[in-house]
PDB file of all heavy atoms in Angstrom:
ATOM      1  N   ALA A   1      -7.159  -7.381 -13.667  1.00  0.00           N
ATOM      2  CA  ALA A   1      -8.239  -6.536 -12.964  1.00  0.00           C
ATOM      3  C   ALA A   1      -8.640  -7.327 -11.743  1.00  0.00           C
ATOM      4  O   ALA A   1      -8.835  -6.753 -10.601  1.00  0.00           O
ATOM      5  CB  ALA A   1      -9.251  -6.252 -13.868  1.00  0.00           C
ATOM      6  N   ARG A   2      -8.781  -8.601 -11.851  1.00  0.00           N
ATOM      7  CA  ARG A   2      -9.284  -9.395 -10.710  1.00  0.00           C
ATOM      8  C   ARG A   2      -8.280  -9.343  -9.558  1.00  0.00           C
ATOM      9  O   ARG A   2      -8.588  -9.191  -8.362  1.00  0.00           O
ATOM     10  CB  ARG A   2      -9.497 -10.899 -11.161  1.00  0.00           C
ATOM     11  CG  ARG A   2     -10.140 -11.713 -10.075  1.00  0.00           C
ATOM     12  CD  ARG A   2      -9.937 -13.230 -10.403  1.00  0.00           C
ATOM     13  NE  ARG A   2      -8.637 -13.713 -10.346  1.00  0.00           N
ATOM     14  CZ  ARG A   2      -7.887 -13.818  -9.375  1.00  0.00           C
ATOM     15  NH1 ARG A   2      -8.438 -13.845  -8.147  1.00  0.00           N
ATOM     16  NH2 ARG A   2      -6.683 -14.324  -9.479  1.00  0.00           N
ATOM     17  N   MET A   3      -6.920  -9.554  -9.898  1.00  0.00           N
ATOM     18  CA  MET A   3      -5.889  -9.530  -8.879  1.00  0.00           C
ATOM     19  C   MET A   3      -5.848  -8.224  -8.229  1.00  0.00           C
ATOM     20  O   MET A   3      -5.551  -8.118  -6.939  1.00  0.00           O
ATOM     21  CB  MET A   3      -4.649  -9.987  -9.481  1.00  0.00           C
ATOM     22  CG  MET A   3      -4.672 -11.386  -9.994  1.00  0.00           C
ATOM     23  SD  MET A   3      -3.121 -11.955 -10.741  1.00  0.00           S
ATOM     24  CE  MET A   3      -1.974 -12.092  -9.272  1.00  0.00           C
ATOM     25  N   LEU A   4      -5.942  -7.099  -9.015  1.00  0.00           N
ATOM     26  CA  LEU A   4      -5.811  -5.828  -8.531  1.00  0.00           C
ATOM     27  C   LEU A   4      -7.015  -5.504  -7.672  1.00  0.00           C
ATOM     28  O   LEU A   4      -6.882  -4.886  -6.581  1.00  0.00           O
ATOM     29  CB  LEU A   4      -5.667  -4.807  -9.647  1.00  0.00           C
ATOM     30  CG  LEU A   4      -5.346  -3.325  -9.163  1.00  0.00           C
ATOM     31  CD1 LEU A   4      -3.951  -3.323  -8.381  1.00  0.00           C
ATOM     32  CD2 LEU A   4      -5.238  -2.508 -10.431  1.00  0.00           C
ATOM     33  N   ASP A   5      -8.196  -5.863  -8.053  1.00  0.00           N
ATOM     34  CA  ASP A   5      -9.274  -5.584  -7.260  1.00  0.00           C
ATOM     35  C   ASP A   5      -9.265  -6.404  -5.845  1.00  0.00           C
ATOM     36  O   ASP A   5      -9.630  -5.756  -4.946  1.00  0.00           O
ATOM     37  CB  ASP A   5     -10.619  -6.128  -7.839  1.00  0.00           C
ATOM     38  CG  ASP A   5     -10.996  -5.236  -9.090  1.00  0.00           C
ATOM     39  OD1 ASP A   5     -10.414  -4.254  -9.274  1.00  0.00           O
ATOM     40  OD2 ASP A   5     -11.969  -5.679  -9.757  1.00  0.00           O
ATOM     41  N   HIS A   6      -8.657  -7.631  -5.908  1.00  0.00           N
ATOM     42  CA  HIS A   6      -8.492  -8.327  -4.583  1.00  0.00           C
ATOM     43  C   HIS A   6      -7.513  -7.583  -3.733  1.00  0.00           C
ATOM     44  O   HIS A   6      -7.794  -7.366  -2.500  1.00  0.00           O
ATOM     45  CB  HIS A   6      -7.940  -9.607  -4.951  1.00  0.00           C
ATOM     46  CG  HIS A   6      -7.626 -10.411  -3.682  1.00  0.00           C
ATOM     47  ND1 HIS A   6      -8.649 -10.978  -2.894  1.00  0.00           N
ATOM     48  CD2 HIS A   6      -6.313 -10.781  -3.066  1.00  0.00           C
ATOM     49  CE1 HIS A   6      -8.090 -11.620  -1.822  1.00  0.00           C
ATOM     50  NE2 HIS A   6      -6.762 -11.549  -2.016  1.00  0.00           N
ATOM     51  N   ALA A   7      -6.398  -7.016  -4.372  1.00  0.00           N
ATOM     52  CA  ALA A   7      -5.353  -6.394  -3.614  1.00  0.00           C
ATOM     53  C   ALA A   7      -5.926  -5.119  -2.960  1.00  0.00           C
ATOM     54  O   ALA A   7      -5.635  -4.642  -1.804  1.00  0.00           O
ATOM     55  CB  ALA A   7      -4.062  -5.984  -4.376  1.00  0.00           C
ATOM     56  N   VAL A   8      -6.673  -4.359  -3.735  1.00  0.00           N
ATOM     57  CA  VAL A   8      -7.176  -3.105  -3.366  1.00  0.00           C
ATOM     58  C   VAL A   8      -8.246  -3.324  -2.196  1.00  0.00           C
ATOM     59  O   VAL A   8      -8.374  -2.692  -1.245  1.00  0.00           O
ATOM     60  CB  VAL A   8      -7.849  -2.358  -4.519  1.00  0.00           C
ATOM     61  CG1 VAL A   8      -8.819  -1.132  -3.965  1.00  0.00           C
ATOM     62  CG2 VAL A   8      -6.725  -1.755  -5.434  1.00  0.00           C
ATOM     63  N   GLY A   9      -9.198  -4.301  -2.441  1.00  0.00           N
ATOM     64  CA  GLY A   9     -10.292  -4.537  -1.630  1.00  0.00           C
ATOM     65  C   GLY A   9      -9.895  -5.209  -0.335  1.00  0.00           C
ATOM     66  O   GLY A   9     -10.559  -4.871   0.731  1.00  0.00           O
ATOM     67  N   THR A  10      -8.737  -5.809  -0.310  1.00  0.00           N
ATOM     68  CA  THR A  10      -8.317  -6.348   1.012  1.00  0.00           C
ATOM     69  C   THR A  10      -7.208  -5.476   1.777  1.00  0.00           C
ATOM     70  O   THR A  10      -6.737  -5.879   2.784  1.00  0.00           O
ATOM     71  CB  THR A  10      -7.684  -7.855   0.846  1.00  0.00           C
ATOM     72  OG1 THR A  10      -6.635  -7.735  -0.133  1.00  0.00           O
ATOM     73  CG2 THR A  10      -8.784  -8.766   0.440  1.00  0.00           C
ATOM     74  N   ASN A  11      -6.973  -4.326   1.227  1.00  0.00           N
ATOM     75  CA  ASN A  11      -6.037  -3.353   1.851  1.00  0.00           C
ATOM     76  C   ASN A  11      -6.475  -1.943   1.800  1.00  0.00           C
ATOM     77  O   ASN A  11      -5.674  -1.032   1.452  1.00  0.00           O
ATOM     78  CB  ASN A  11      -4.639  -3.551   1.088  1.00  0.00           C
ATOM     79  CG  ASN A  11      -4.078  -4.874   1.313  1.00  0.00           C
ATOM     80  OD1 ASN A  11      -3.368  -5.153   2.256  1.00  0.00           O
ATOM     81  ND2 ASN A  11      -4.234  -5.770   0.416  1.00  0.00           N
ATOM     82  N   ILE A  12      -7.767  -1.831   2.037  1.00  0.00           N
ATOM     83  CA  ILE A  12      -8.242  -0.387   2.132  1.00  0.00           C
ATOM     84  C   ILE A  12      -7.643   0.497   3.069  1.00  0.00           C
ATOM     85  O   ILE A  12      -7.175   1.590   2.761  1.00  0.00           O
ATOM     86  CB  ILE A  12      -9.801  -0.445   2.438  1.00  0.00           C
ATOM     87  CG1 ILE A  12     -10.627  -1.141   1.522  1.00  0.00           C
ATOM     88  CG2 ILE A  12     -10.321   0.977   2.543  1.00  0.00           C
ATOM     89  CD1 ILE A  12     -10.426  -0.726   0.039  1.00  0.00           C
ATOM     90  N   ASP A  13      -7.215  -0.132   4.347  1.00  0.00           N
ATOM     91  CA  ASP A  13      -6.518   0.586   5.296  1.00  0.00           C
ATOM     92  C   ASP A  13      -5.206   1.162   4.848  1.00  0.00           C
ATOM     93  O   ASP A  13      -4.687   2.272   5.075  1.00  0.00           O
ATOM     94  CB  ASP A  13      -6.412  -0.148   6.616  1.00  0.00           C
ATOM     95  CG  ASP A  13      -7.706  -0.482   7.357  1.00  0.00           C
ATOM     96  OD1 ASP A  13      -8.747   0.349   7.013  1.00  0.00           O
ATOM     97  OD2 ASP A  13      -7.900  -1.307   8.068  1.00  0.00           O
ATOM     98  N   LEU A  14      -4.530   0.181   3.986  1.00  0.00           N
ATOM     99  CA  LEU A  14      -3.159   0.653   3.531  1.00  0.00           C
ATOM    100  C   LEU A  14      -3.209   1.664   2.504  1.00  0.00           C
ATOM    101  O   LEU A  14      -2.423   2.583   2.503  1.00  0.00           O
ATOM    102  CB  LEU A  14      -2.478  -0.707   2.916  1.00  0.00           C
ATOM    103  CG  LEU A  14      -1.223  -0.419   2.246  1.00  0.00           C
ATOM    104  CD1 LEU A  14      -0.122   0.102   3.180  1.00  0.00           C
ATOM    105  CD2 LEU A  14      -0.725  -1.713   1.535  1.00  0.00           C
ATOM    106  N   LEU A  15      -4.343   1.690   1.807  1.00  0.00           N
ATOM    107  CA  LEU A  15      -4.442   2.756   0.747  1.00  0.00           C
ATOM    108  C   LEU A  15      -4.751   4.007   1.449  1.00  0.00           C
ATOM    109  O   LEU A  15      -4.117   5.083   1.076  1.00  0.00           O
ATOM    110  CB  LEU A  15      -5.649   2.492  -0.276  1.00  0.00           C
ATOM    111  CG  LEU A  15      -5.406   1.251  -1.125  1.00  0.00           C
ATOM    112  CD1 LEU A  15      -6.781   1.114  -1.942  1.00  0.00           C
ATOM    113  CD2 LEU A  15      -4.315   1.696  -2.140  1.00  0.00           C
ATOM    114  N   VAL A  16      -5.491   4.051   2.515  1.00  0.00           N
ATOM    115  CA  VAL A  16      -5.809   5.322   3.160  1.00  0.00           C
ATOM    116  C   VAL A  16      -4.583   5.779   3.823  1.00  0.00           C
ATOM    117  O   VAL A  16      -4.207   7.018   3.858  1.00  0.00           O
ATOM    118  CB  VAL A  16      -6.856   5.040   4.355  1.00  0.00           C
ATOM    119  CG1 VAL A  16      -7.039   6.212   5.219  1.00  0.00           C
ATOM    120  CG2 VAL A  16      -8.173   4.723   3.725  1.00  0.00           C
ATOM    121  N   MET A  17      -3.697   4.842   4.504  1.00  0.00           N
ATOM    122  CA  MET A  17      -2.409   5.314   5.119  1.00  0.00           C
ATOM    123  C   MET A  17      -1.468   5.838   4.118  1.00  0.00           C
ATOM    124  O   MET A  17      -0.821   6.887   4.263  1.00  0.00           O
ATOM    125  CB  MET A  17      -1.855   4.195   5.924  1.00  0.00           C
ATOM    126  CG  MET A  17      -2.562   3.739   7.194  1.00  0.00           C
ATOM    127  SD  MET A  17      -1.788   2.618   8.175  1.00  0.00           S
ATOM    128  CE  MET A  17      -1.918   1.247   7.194  1.00  0.00           C
ATOM    129  N   LEU A  18      -1.376   5.194   2.956  1.00  0.00           N
ATOM    130  CA  LEU A  18      -0.519   5.707   1.871  1.00  0.00           C
ATOM    131  C   LEU A  18      -0.987   7.173   1.374  1.00  0.00           C
ATOM    132  O   LEU A  18      -0.077   7.945   1.112  1.00  0.00           O
ATOM    133  CB  LEU A  18      -0.526   4.833   0.644  1.00  0.00           C
ATOM    134  CG  LEU A  18       0.325   3.527   0.802  1.00  0.00           C
ATOM    135  CD1 LEU A  18      -0.026   2.460  -0.213  1.00  0.00           C
ATOM    136  CD2 LEU A  18       1.780   3.848   0.793  1.00  0.00           C
ATOM    137  N   SER A  19      -2.250   7.295   1.314  1.00  0.00           N
ATOM    138  CA  SER A  19      -2.732   8.683   0.816  1.00  0.00           C
ATOM    139  C   SER A  19      -2.363   9.721   1.906  1.00  0.00           C
ATOM    140  O   SER A  19      -2.044  10.752   1.555  1.00  0.00           O
ATOM    141  CB  SER A  19      -4.350   8.512   0.647  1.00  0.00           C
ATOM    142  OG  SER A  19      -4.797   9.849   0.391  1.00  0.00           O
ATOM    143  N   VAL A  20      -2.582   9.330   3.246  1.00  0.00           N
ATOM    144  CA  VAL A  20      -2.260  10.337   4.180  1.00  0.00           C
ATOM    145  C   VAL A  20      -0.813  10.614   4.264  1.00  0.00           C
ATOM    146  O   VAL A  20      -0.363  11.792   4.380  1.00  0.00           O
ATOM    147  CB  VAL A  20      -2.640   9.757   5.634  1.00  0.00           C
ATOM    148  CG1 VAL A  20      -2.146  10.698   6.744  1.00  0.00           C
ATOM    149  CG2 VAL A  20      -4.296   9.668   5.660  1.00  0.00           C
ATOM    150  N   ALA A  21       0.072   9.598   4.091  1.00  0.00           N
ATOM    151  CA  ALA A  21       1.432   9.694   4.177  1.00  0.00           C
ATOM    152  C   ALA A  21       2.134  10.459   3.007  1.00  0.00           C
ATOM    153  O   ALA A  21       3.146  11.128   3.098  1.00  0.00           O
ATOM    154  CB  ALA A  21       2.185   8.417   4.271  1.00  0.00           C
ATOM    155  N   GLU A  22       1.386  10.540   1.951  1.00  0.00           N
ATOM    156  CA  GLU A  22       1.799  11.339   0.774  1.00  0.00           C
ATOM    157  C   GLU A  22       1.973  12.825   1.004  1.00  0.00           C
ATOM    158  O   GLU A  22       2.692  13.526   0.529  1.00  0.00           O
ATOM    159  CB  GLU A  22       0.890  11.155  -0.542  1.00  0.00           C
ATOM    160  CG  GLU A  22       1.289  11.611  -1.839  1.00  0.00           C
ATOM    161  CD  GLU A  22       2.637  10.951  -2.246  1.00  0.00           C
ATOM    162  OE1 GLU A  22       2.949   9.766  -1.803  1.00  0.00           O
ATOM    163  OE2 GLU A  22       3.380  11.696  -2.883  1.00  0.00           O
ATOM    164  N   GLY A  23       1.101  13.269   1.966  1.00  0.00           N
ATOM    165  CA  GLY A  23       1.015  14.643   2.284  1.00  0.00           C
ATOM    166  C   GLY A  23       1.879  15.029   3.477  1.00  0.00           C
ATOM    167  O   GLY A  23       1.829  16.189   3.965  1.00  0.00           O
ATOM    168  N   THR A  24       2.753  14.171   3.994  1.00  0.00           N
ATOM    169  CA  THR A  24       3.581  14.421   5.089  1.00  0.00           C
ATOM    170  C   THR A  24       5.067  14.437   4.693  1.00  0.00           C
ATOM    171  O   THR A  24       5.397  14.036   3.473  1.00  0.00           O
ATOM    172  CB  THR A  24       3.460  13.399   6.163  1.00  0.00           C
ATOM    173  OG1 THR A  24       4.006  12.167   5.738  1.00  0.00           O
ATOM    174  CG2 THR A  24       1.824  13.199   6.601  1.00  0.00           C
ATOM    175  N   ASP A  25       5.874  14.758   5.552  1.00  0.00           N
ATOM    176  CA  ASP A  25       7.413  14.698   5.273  1.00  0.00           C
ATOM    177  C   ASP A  25       8.117  13.507   5.982  1.00  0.00           C
ATOM    178  O   ASP A  25       9.329  13.467   6.029  1.00  0.00           O
ATOM    179  CB  ASP A  25       8.059  16.096   5.846  1.00  0.00           C
ATOM    180  CG  ASP A  25       7.503  17.269   4.885  1.00  0.00           C
ATOM    181  OD1 ASP A  25       7.276  17.150   3.846  1.00  0.00           O
ATOM    182  OD2 ASP A  25       7.441  18.409   5.646  1.00  0.00           O
ATOM    183  N   ASP A  26       7.287  12.636   6.419  1.00  0.00           N
ATOM    184  CA  ASP A  26       7.864  11.517   7.134  1.00  0.00           C
ATOM    185  C   ASP A  26       8.316  10.463   6.128  1.00  0.00           C
ATOM    186  O   ASP A  26       7.695   9.509   5.719  1.00  0.00           O
ATOM    187  CB  ASP A  26       6.792  10.828   8.121  1.00  0.00           C
ATOM    188  CG  ASP A  26       7.339   9.912   8.996  1.00  0.00           C
ATOM    189  OD1 ASP A  26       8.424   9.168   8.772  1.00  0.00           O
ATOM    190  OD2 ASP A  26       6.751   9.613  10.012  1.00  0.00           O
ATOM    191  N   GLY A  27       9.666  10.595   5.782  1.00  0.00           N
ATOM    192  CA  GLY A  27      10.155   9.611   4.886  1.00  0.00           C
ATOM    193  C   GLY A  27      10.217   8.152   5.231  1.00  0.00           C
ATOM    194  O   GLY A  27       9.958   7.292   4.437  1.00  0.00           O
ATOM    195  N   LEU A  28      10.502   7.805   6.475  1.00  0.00           N
ATOM    196  CA  LEU A  28      10.579   6.612   7.037  1.00  0.00           C
ATOM    197  C   LEU A  28       9.120   5.901   6.886  1.00  0.00           C
ATOM    198  O   LEU A  28       9.024   4.712   6.499  1.00  0.00           O
ATOM    199  CB  LEU A  28      11.019   6.603   8.456  1.00  0.00           C
ATOM    200  CG  LEU A  28      11.167   5.175   9.047  1.00  0.00           C
ATOM    201  CD1 LEU A  28      11.971   4.200   8.419  1.00  0.00           C
ATOM    202  CD2 LEU A  28      11.531   5.180  10.583  1.00  0.00           C
ATOM    203  N   ASP A  29       8.092   6.720   7.308  1.00  0.00           N
ATOM    204  CA  ASP A  29       6.739   6.133   7.145  1.00  0.00           C
ATOM    205  C   ASP A  29       6.442   5.800   5.789  1.00  0.00           C
ATOM    206  O   ASP A  29       5.711   4.798   5.482  1.00  0.00           O
ATOM    207  CB  ASP A  29       5.728   7.277   7.688  1.00  0.00           C
ATOM    208  CG  ASP A  29       4.306   6.710   8.041  1.00  0.00           C
ATOM    209  OD1 ASP A  29       4.175   5.459   8.279  1.00  0.00           O
ATOM    210  OD2 ASP A  29       3.433   7.477   7.738  1.00  0.00           O
ATOM    211  N   LYS A  30       6.816   6.754   4.856  1.00  0.00           N
ATOM    212  CA  LYS A  30       6.460   6.336   3.459  1.00  0.00           C
ATOM    213  C   LYS A  30       7.199   5.234   2.985  1.00  0.00           C
ATOM    214  O   LYS A  30       6.571   4.428   2.196  1.00  0.00           O
ATOM    215  CB  LYS A  30       6.887   7.617   2.502  1.00  0.00           C
ATOM    216  CG  LYS A  30       6.013   8.848   2.799  1.00  0.00           C
ATOM    217  CD  LYS A  30       6.543  10.062   1.867  1.00  0.00           C
ATOM    218  CE  LYS A  30       5.757  11.305   2.139  1.00  0.00           C
ATOM    219  NZ  LYS A  30       6.246  12.407   1.317  1.00  0.00           N
ATOM    220  N   LEU A  31       8.499   5.013   3.449  1.00  0.00           N
ATOM    221  CA  LEU A  31       9.230   3.983   2.979  1.00  0.00           C
ATOM    222  C   LEU A  31       8.598   2.609   3.452  1.00  0.00           C
ATOM    223  O   LEU A  31       8.395   1.590   2.691  1.00  0.00           O
ATOM    224  CB  LEU A  31      10.656   4.053   3.595  1.00  0.00           C
ATOM    225  CG  LEU A  31      11.587   2.768   3.156  1.00  0.00           C
ATOM    226  CD1 LEU A  31      11.685   2.579   1.703  1.00  0.00           C
ATOM    227  CD2 LEU A  31      12.969   3.094   3.922  1.00  0.00           C
ATOM    228  N   MET A  32       8.228   2.561   4.796  1.00  0.00           N
ATOM    229  CA  MET A  32       7.616   1.358   5.360  1.00  0.00           C
ATOM    230  C   MET A  32       6.202   1.053   4.666  1.00  0.00           C
ATOM    231  O   MET A  32       5.935  -0.178   4.371  1.00  0.00           O
ATOM    232  CB  MET A  32       7.399   1.530   6.874  1.00  0.00           C
ATOM    233  CG  MET A  32       8.649   1.753   7.629  1.00  0.00           C
ATOM    234  SD  MET A  32       9.935   0.452   7.313  1.00  0.00           S
ATOM    235  CE  MET A  32       9.042  -1.007   8.037  1.00  0.00           C
ATOM    236  N   LEU A  33       5.481   1.984   4.368  1.00  0.00           N
ATOM    237  CA  LEU A  33       4.223   1.724   3.745  1.00  0.00           C
ATOM    238  C   LEU A  33       4.428   1.313   2.282  1.00  0.00           C
ATOM    239  O   LEU A  33       3.618   0.490   1.786  1.00  0.00           O
ATOM    240  CB  LEU A  33       3.293   2.935   3.758  1.00  0.00           C
ATOM    241  CG  LEU A  33       2.705   3.385   5.093  1.00  0.00           C
ATOM    242  CD1 LEU A  33       2.162   4.882   5.028  1.00  0.00           C
ATOM    243  CD2 LEU A  33       1.724   2.301   5.629  1.00  0.00           C
ATOM    244  N   GLY A  34       5.400   1.994   1.650  1.00  0.00           N
ATOM    245  CA  GLY A  34       5.827   1.397   0.244  1.00  0.00           C
ATOM    246  C   GLY A  34       6.208   0.067   0.281  1.00  0.00           C
ATOM    247  O   GLY A  34       5.847  -0.793  -0.745  1.00  0.00           O
ATOM    248  N   LEU A  35       6.975  -0.252   1.222  1.00  0.00           N
ATOM    249  CA  LEU A  35       7.412  -1.680   1.230  1.00  0.00           C
ATOM    250  C   LEU A  35       6.190  -2.636   1.506  1.00  0.00           C
ATOM    251  O   LEU A  35       6.130  -3.820   0.925  1.00  0.00           O
ATOM    252  CB  LEU A  35       8.408  -1.938   2.345  1.00  0.00           C
ATOM    253  CG  LEU A  35       9.864  -1.257   2.093  1.00  0.00           C
ATOM    254  CD1 LEU A  35      10.749  -1.300   3.363  1.00  0.00           C
ATOM    255  CD2 LEU A  35      10.440  -1.839   0.878  1.00  0.00           C
ATOM    256  N   LYS A  36       5.278  -2.289   2.313  1.00  0.00           N
ATOM    257  CA  LYS A  36       4.115  -3.100   2.581  1.00  0.00           C
ATOM    258  C   LYS A  36       3.354  -3.195   1.151  1.00  0.00           C
ATOM    259  O   LYS A  36       2.876  -4.272   0.868  1.00  0.00           O
ATOM    260  CB  LYS A  36       3.331  -2.290   3.606  1.00  0.00           C
ATOM    261  CG  LYS A  36       1.953  -3.139   3.867  1.00  0.00           C
ATOM    262  CD  LYS A  36       2.226  -4.546   4.373  1.00  0.00           C
ATOM    263  CE  LYS A  36       0.808  -5.196   4.744  1.00  0.00           C
ATOM    264  NZ  LYS A  36       0.904  -6.623   5.060  1.00  0.00           N
ATOM    265  N   ALA A  37       3.134  -2.061   0.517  1.00  0.00           N
ATOM    266  CA  ALA A  37       2.333  -2.096  -0.720  1.00  0.00           C
ATOM    267  C   ALA A  37       3.152  -3.030  -1.790  1.00  0.00           C
ATOM    268  O   ALA A  37       2.499  -3.827  -2.523  1.00  0.00           O
ATOM    269  CB  ALA A  37       2.248  -0.729  -1.243  1.00  0.00           C
ATOM    270  N   TYR A  38       4.444  -2.955  -1.742  1.00  0.00           N
ATOM    271  CA  TYR A  38       5.226  -3.842  -2.658  1.00  0.00           C
ATOM    272  C   TYR A  38       5.055  -5.265  -2.430  1.00  0.00           C
ATOM    273  O   TYR A  38       4.876  -6.106  -3.309  1.00  0.00           O
ATOM    274  CB  TYR A  38       6.747  -3.414  -2.484  1.00  0.00           C
ATOM    275  CG  TYR A  38       7.608  -4.118  -3.506  1.00  0.00           C
ATOM    276  CD1 TYR A  38       7.864  -3.694  -4.731  1.00  0.00           C
ATOM    277  CD2 TYR A  38       8.290  -5.218  -3.149  1.00  0.00           C
ATOM    278  CE1 TYR A  38       8.625  -4.251  -5.688  1.00  0.00           C
ATOM    279  CE2 TYR A  38       9.175  -5.891  -4.086  1.00  0.00           C
ATOM    280  CZ  TYR A  38       9.350  -5.426  -5.316  1.00  0.00           C
ATOM    281  OH  TYR A  38      10.114  -6.033  -6.188  1.00  0.00           O
ATOM    282  N   GLU A  39       4.971  -5.550  -1.125  1.00  0.00           N
ATOM    283  CA  GLU A  39       4.569  -6.878  -0.615  1.00  0.00           C
ATOM    284  C   GLU A  39       3.137  -7.429  -0.986  1.00  0.00           C
ATOM    285  O   GLU A  39       3.007  -8.557  -1.520  1.00  0.00           O
ATOM    286  CB  GLU A  39       4.700  -7.043   0.877  1.00  0.00           C
ATOM    287  CG  GLU A  39       4.494  -8.580   1.416  1.00  0.00           C
ATOM    288  CD  GLU A  39       4.509  -8.483   2.970  1.00  0.00           C
ATOM    289  OE1 GLU A  39       5.109  -7.565   3.509  1.00  0.00           O
ATOM    290  OE2 GLU A  39       3.896  -9.447   3.504  1.00  0.00           O
ATOM    291  N   VAL A  40       2.293  -6.585  -0.901  1.00  0.00           N
ATOM    292  CA  VAL A  40       0.881  -6.835  -1.297  1.00  0.00           C
ATOM    293  C   VAL A  40       0.728  -7.160  -2.783  1.00  0.00           C
ATOM    294  O   VAL A  40       0.006  -7.975  -3.120  1.00  0.00           O
ATOM    295  CB  VAL A  40       0.041  -5.658  -0.879  1.00  0.00           C
ATOM    296  CG1 VAL A  40      -1.457  -5.718  -1.503  1.00  0.00           C
ATOM    297  CG2 VAL A  40      -0.159  -5.639   0.686  1.00  0.00           C
ATOM    298  N   LEU A  41       1.451  -6.419  -3.566  1.00  0.00           N
ATOM    299  CA  LEU A  41       1.376  -6.668  -5.037  1.00  0.00           C
ATOM    300  C   LEU A  41       2.247  -7.696  -5.649  1.00  0.00           C
ATOM    301  O   LEU A  41       2.362  -7.767  -6.745  1.00  0.00           O
ATOM    302  CB  LEU A  41       1.794  -5.209  -5.805  1.00  0.00           C
ATOM    303  CG  LEU A  41       0.895  -4.116  -5.358  1.00  0.00           C
ATOM    304  CD1 LEU A  41       1.291  -2.789  -5.990  1.00  0.00           C
ATOM    305  CD2 LEU A  41      -0.701  -4.371  -5.826  1.00  0.00           C
ATOM    306  N   ALA A  42       2.949  -8.407  -4.711  1.00  0.00           N
ATOM    307  CA  ALA A  42       3.709  -9.547  -5.264  1.00  0.00           C
ATOM    308  C   ALA A  42       3.195 -10.477  -6.184  1.00  0.00           C
ATOM    309  O   ALA A  42       3.614 -10.878  -7.161  1.00  0.00           O
ATOM    310  CB  ALA A  42       4.307 -10.321  -3.979  1.00  0.00           C
ATOM    311  N   PRO A  43       1.864 -10.982  -5.872  1.00  0.00           N
ATOM    312  CA  PRO A  43       1.278 -11.849  -6.920  1.00  0.00           C
ATOM    313  C   PRO A  43       1.038 -11.104  -8.274  1.00  0.00           C
ATOM    314  O   PRO A  43       1.101 -11.853  -9.324  1.00  0.00           O
ATOM    315  CB  PRO A  43      -0.235 -12.105  -6.183  1.00  0.00           C
ATOM    316  CG  PRO A  43       0.149 -11.855  -4.747  1.00  0.00           C
ATOM    317  CD  PRO A  43       1.076 -10.777  -4.617  1.00  0.00           C
ATOM    318  N   LEU A  44       0.835  -9.874  -8.353  1.00  0.00           N
ATOM    319  CA  LEU A  44       0.662  -9.128  -9.600  1.00  0.00           C
ATOM    320  C   LEU A  44       1.899  -9.057 -10.332  1.00  0.00           C
ATOM    321  O   LEU A  44       2.014  -9.425 -11.560  1.00  0.00           O
ATOM    322  CB  LEU A  44       0.125  -7.799  -9.336  1.00  0.00           C
ATOM    323  CG  LEU A  44      -0.606  -7.102 -10.472  1.00  0.00           C
ATOM    324  CD1 LEU A  44      -1.874  -7.831 -10.930  1.00  0.00           C
ATOM    325  CD2 LEU A  44      -0.928  -5.696 -10.189  1.00  0.00           C
TER     326      LEU A  44
END
């Protein structure tokens, strides 16, 4: 929970962009954001 709170708290902008991208058809944008999220969650 501590590690997840840190990841979420320090990447609010990324969460917002992921939420917005989910409602679009831009596959490349989703892929790039997904890779960024994957990198952020590496410690977990």
